[in-house]
Amino acid sequence: MTGTTETASVKAAAGAATAPAPAPAPRPARLWRGATPWLFLLAPLALLIVFTYAPIANMIAYSFTDWDGVSPELRWTGAENYAGLLTRPELFEVFWVSGYYLAASVVQIVAALYFATILSFNVRFRNFFKGVLFFPYLINGVAIGFVFLYFFQDGGTLDSVLGLLGVQTDRAWLGTPASANTSLAAVSVWRYLGLNFVLFLGAIQSIPGELYEAAELDGANRWHQFRHIIAPGIKPVLSLTVILSISGSLSVFEIPYIMTGGATGTETFVIQTVKLAFQFNKTGLASAAAIVLLLIVLAVTWVQRRLAPDDKVDLV
């Protein structure tokens, strides 16, 4: 009986081995299967091309003309706009203003990382504090500009609060370049702190909880957990926030434009570019300035990525 079973098993195995392979799918089915992912990408790619790459291409073309933004006629000027930018260093002096926002971004990243680390542990009312920190990022930038414009004006909210604390000041917070840029940079910290906070918090919460449990069993305190678990685990997100902060510092526009309009030494490169295009009707020169800013941001990002490349993090 056993021999019969073994013989049947051998025949079944031999039959399976000699069974013909399944026929390949028809060519139309294979083509349709390969085209399906691209059909899902068709709409977002069309929007990306129409609203991003096509305007950039037009801007590059305008940068080689003397178009005023109104006339239907364009006169090709070659690299004259770029030569004008490079031979007028006063146009790049506004980048000194970006130094205030760059320093503010350092404060912003450190504060966001601190709050994200604290609130990633079991703290009372942590959900409430998460909402408080993220709420400013949800407010419209124009509304924030008008609110803080009253906050910093003479006799405004800040002077009233300082008066209640017994501090009398006659400082015009937006009256000098140093105090105005410091005040505007502080507003940017308040507004964008929530974005970095959420990025850091998500990265910290993605770290496996078993690592914290093992660290506590080994006697590690909060500082040791941050140094050896949290800091290495959020390195890619930290690199991303640094890139966003640097590019944002170079292209600040909304808050200083609403609060001061670029006056009192608060004009940024983007505000200057907007004025060239819409106030002085030099759209060609403004397009060249925008291209130069884009190249500067890409160069800074490339240098930062070369100095601090994203290494694969494996904590488990």
Side-chain angles (χ1 to χ4, degrees):
M1 188 70 177
T2 304
T4 305
T5 305
E6 292 177 353
T7 303
S9 300
V10 171
K11 291 181 178 180
T18 58
R27 182 177 177 83
R30 285 185 283 119
L31 292 176
W32 177 257
R33 189 181 305 166
T36 299
W38 292 101
L39 293 177
F40 285 100
L41 292 174
L42 187 60
L45 285 176
L47 293 175
L48 185 65
I49 292 173
V50 172
F51 294 103
T52 301
Y53 294 120
I56 291 177
N58 286 333
M59 184 173 62
I60 294 175
Y62 293 149
S63 67
F64 294 99
T65 67
D66 63 347
W67 189 41
D68 60 1
V70 180
S71 174
E73 298 180 358
L74 302 178
R75 188 173 66 89
W76 181 266
T77 59
E80 182 179 331
N81 290 326
Y82 294 96
L85 287 173
L86 298 177
T87 55
R88 295 171 61 185
E90 67 273 9
L91 295 178
F92 292 92
E93 291 179 356
V94 293
F95 275 119
W96 290 106
V97 177
S98 299
Y100 289 91
Y101 297 94
L102 189 60
S105 66
V106 175
V107 177
Q108 176 180 298
I109 291 176
V110 172
L113 183 57
Y114 172 78
F115 288 120
T117 303
I118 295 298
L119 296 179
S120 63
F121 296 107
N122 190 14
V123 181
R124 294 184 63 183
F125 306 111
R126 63 176 180 176
N127 290 331
F128 169 76
F129 290 114
K130 290 177 184 178
V132 170
L133 290 171
F134 186 66
F135 177 72
Y137 184 69
L138 301 177
I139 305 176
N140 181 269
V142 177
I144 290 177
F146 281 112
V147 168
F148 278 94
L149 183 61
Y150 178 77
F151 181 83
F152 285 115
Q153 74 178 11
D154 297 340
T157 305
L158 182 57
D159 287 342
S160 300
V161 172
L162 292 176
L164 292 176
L165 297 176
V167 179
Q168 301 296 329
T169 176
D170 56 354
R171 173 185 294 273
W173 299 102
L174 301 179
T176 62
S179 62
N181 285 309
T182 303
S183 301
L184 297 179
V187 175
S188 69
V189 171
W190 181 82
R191 186 191 179 191
Y192 293 105
L193 176 67
L195 175 61
N196 290 334
F197 165 74
V198 169
L199 293 175
F200 287 140
L201 185 64
I204 293 174
Q205 292 182 344
S206 66
I207 299 175
E210 295 82 1
L211 297 178
Y212 298 107
E213 297 175 0
E216 290 178 355
L217 292 176
D218 291 338
N221 55 27
R222 296 301 189 194
W223 165 247
H224 293 147
Q225 293 179 20
F226 174 81
R227 180 180 177 183
H228 299 288
I229 298 177
I230 295 177
I234 66 172
K235 185 178 178 181
V237 176
L238 181 60
S239 177
L240 172 64
T241 56
V242 170
I243 292 175
L244 294 177
S245 298
I246 294 176
S247 60
S249 300
L250 296 174
S251 56
V252 178
F253 171 71
E254 196 173 44
I255 290 176
Y257 186 77
I258 295 298
M259 294 184 64
T260 64
T264 323
T266 60
E267 186 176 64
T268 63
F269 193 80
V270 178
I271 294 178
Q272 178 179 260
T273 303
V274 171
K275 287 184 177 180
L276 286 175
F278 299 102
Q279 183 174 343
F280 301 106
N281 294 330
K282 295 183 178 180
T283 304
L285 183 60
S287 299
I291 295 298
V292 169
L293 178 61
L294 176 61
L295 294 177
I296 292 175
V297 171
L298 292 177
V300 171
T301 302
W302 181 81
V303 171
Q304 192 273 336
R305 299 285 289 184
R306 296 289 294 180
L307 295 177
D310 285 340
D311 299 327
K312 183 178 180 181
V313 178
D314 189 6
L315 299 175
V316 182

